Amino acid sequence: MSTAAAPTIARRRLRHPVRRLTIVLGLVVAGGLAVMLPRLGQNPSTQVAADSPLLGKPAPPFSLREANGGATVSSATLRGHYSVVYFFATWCPVCVAEVPNLVSFYWHWHTRGVELVGIGYEDPGAAEAQFARQAGISWPLLVDPDEQVALRYGIFGIPETFVIGPSGTVLAKLVGAVGTGQLGAVVQRVMQGSTNVSVRSGAVVPTSPGKRAGGG
Amino acid sequence: MADQPTHHELRPGATKDRPYASKALWVALFAAVIGVGLWQGAQRPAPSTPAARMEQIASQLRCPVCIDESAAQANTAAARAIRADIATRLRSGQSERQIIGYMVSRYGRWILLSPPSSGLGLAVWLAPIGVTLGALAVVAIAWARAVRRFRAPAPRAADADVDLKGEQDLSLADRVRRVEEERAST
């Protein structure tokens, strides 16, 4: 074969239907891998971030008993106020560590009409009541016996925090620790008219230490 | 069945209408395999008891606090809560579609174990079908060409001109040399 014919043959080979199809298939597979491979290593729960479908929707109703055996607190009693619903657990290290942040948040914002309630996740009432006494917590800690309220709020880890407007609309969601000033800043933003605020910070505890070994 | 082609008949000079019969056979075989596969895939056993219905719905949902485990398998509080909620909703007469829609309204599409059949998720569903069809086409074309090459009689010297018509990029000297080479070899 003369050298002049080489490019023509190469071009002709490319025109061959099998080669063409193979190239197209190869490109399709390579493209698919390029899109999918980076996602493989990620834990799905870390992808959820704080984008709850509840943002902008009416807050799911609840009516739960206080851990200290006191009154029943319902979502209806929070109407007319900006309120913060904080899902936590006494066995969750992140939640325990940030009690001081919540105490200072509560003292600052409760006087400005903001309500705060904690809803325990996988936590017996007695443990919550003791926790409240020891940590000097003065906002209501509620018991969610079968985690049904957590399900209504689409909880996938704790702590998770929802800010609800006076009309009962979910305005903001925070995933992870609320931090020293973060929750206050979010409340300020929604009071100034922001909606659909979603914040993600720090670690989220996926499940209780005892259950983690058991099954999932 | 009696006149099935033998290896001898596939040799050059065999009857020319035979390849269509074998092609049709292959197409029918592929169609049957794919048809049976699709039919099997579409067959979902209808759950008879409420517990089985609950199980079937929960198996389509993620356990929210687990990694790649369904709400039907996991033994976590969150998975138990989902199973209990599904059972309650089934008792109140809600359909599977309504219940799954409810879960999506709380957790987002993330809660679904199967990728959604829209957007990027649609590509995940279609890619295997496309790649399989493409691969089948590659095999079919390669097979057809191999058979054609196998059946084609050896080129005679008289046909050399016709053969070279497609090779007009070759220089005249090359074409002459090839024709002469082929003449010499026959």
Side-chain angles (χ1 to χ4, degrees), chain A residues 23-147:
Chain A
I23 289 168
V24 168
L25 281 181
L27 286 177
V28 166
V29 170
L33 286 178
V35 173
M36 295 304 168
L37 276 183
R39 293 163 174 243
L40 271 186
Q42 292 174 15
N43 175 354
S45 62
T46 61
Q47 290 173 28
V48 187
D51 292 332
S52 169
L54 288 172
L55 286 171
K57 304 266 165 49
F62 61 84
S63 179
L64 298 172
R65 192 164 276 283
E66 277 194 62
N68 60 13
T72 298
V73 176
S74 73
S75 46
T77 58
L78 301 174
R79 281 286 175 100
H81 300 271
Y82 283 94
S83 49
V84 173
V85 178
Y86 178 72
F87 286 89
F88 76 105
T90 58
W91 47 260
C92 151
V94 179
C95 315
V96 173
E98 72 168 349
V99 165
N101 296 337
L102 284 162
V103 169
S104 61
F105 169 84
Y106 189 64
W107 283 119
H108 181 79
W109 286 99
H110 190 53
T111 53
R112 289 162 174 78
V114 176
E115 295 292 340
L116 170 63
V117 294
I119 298 181
Y121 188 85
E122 263 195 280
D123 234 358
E128 280 184 48
Q130 193 187 355
F131 179 67
R133 271 197 307 276
Q134 285 172 352
I137 289 170
S138 50
W139 59 88
L141 294 188
L142 311 177
V143 184
D144 182 14
D146 301 313
E147 284 74 38

Side-chain angles (χ1 to χ4, degrees), chain B residues 111-136:
Chain B
I111 197 73
L112 301 174
L113 268 179
S114 316
S117 52
S118 62
L120 188 63
L122 188 65
V124 177
W125 286 108
L126 292 184
I129 300 172
V131 169
T132 306
L133 289 180
L136 284 179

Side-chain angles (χ1 to χ4, degrees), chain B residues 118-184:
Chain B
S118 62
L120 188 63
L122 188 65
V124 177
W125 286 108
L126 292 184
I129 300 172
V131 169
T132 306
L133 289 180
L136 284 179
V138 167
V139 169
I141 291 172
W143 176 259
R145 289 180 73 93
V147 166
R148 209 182 310 141
R149 207 172 302 146
F150 190 62
R151 284 170 175 281
R156 282 171 296 145
D159 295 336
D161 276 352
V162 182
D163 261 10
L164 287 172
K165 263 181 191 159
E167 302 185 18
Q168 288 176 354
D169 294 310
L170 293 178
S171 69
L172 184 62
D174 282 336
R175 292 171 67 189
V176 170
R177 201 181 311 128
R178 271 191 70 166
V179 170
E180 281 174 353
E181 275 169 15
E182 280 179 11
R183 283 232 171 96

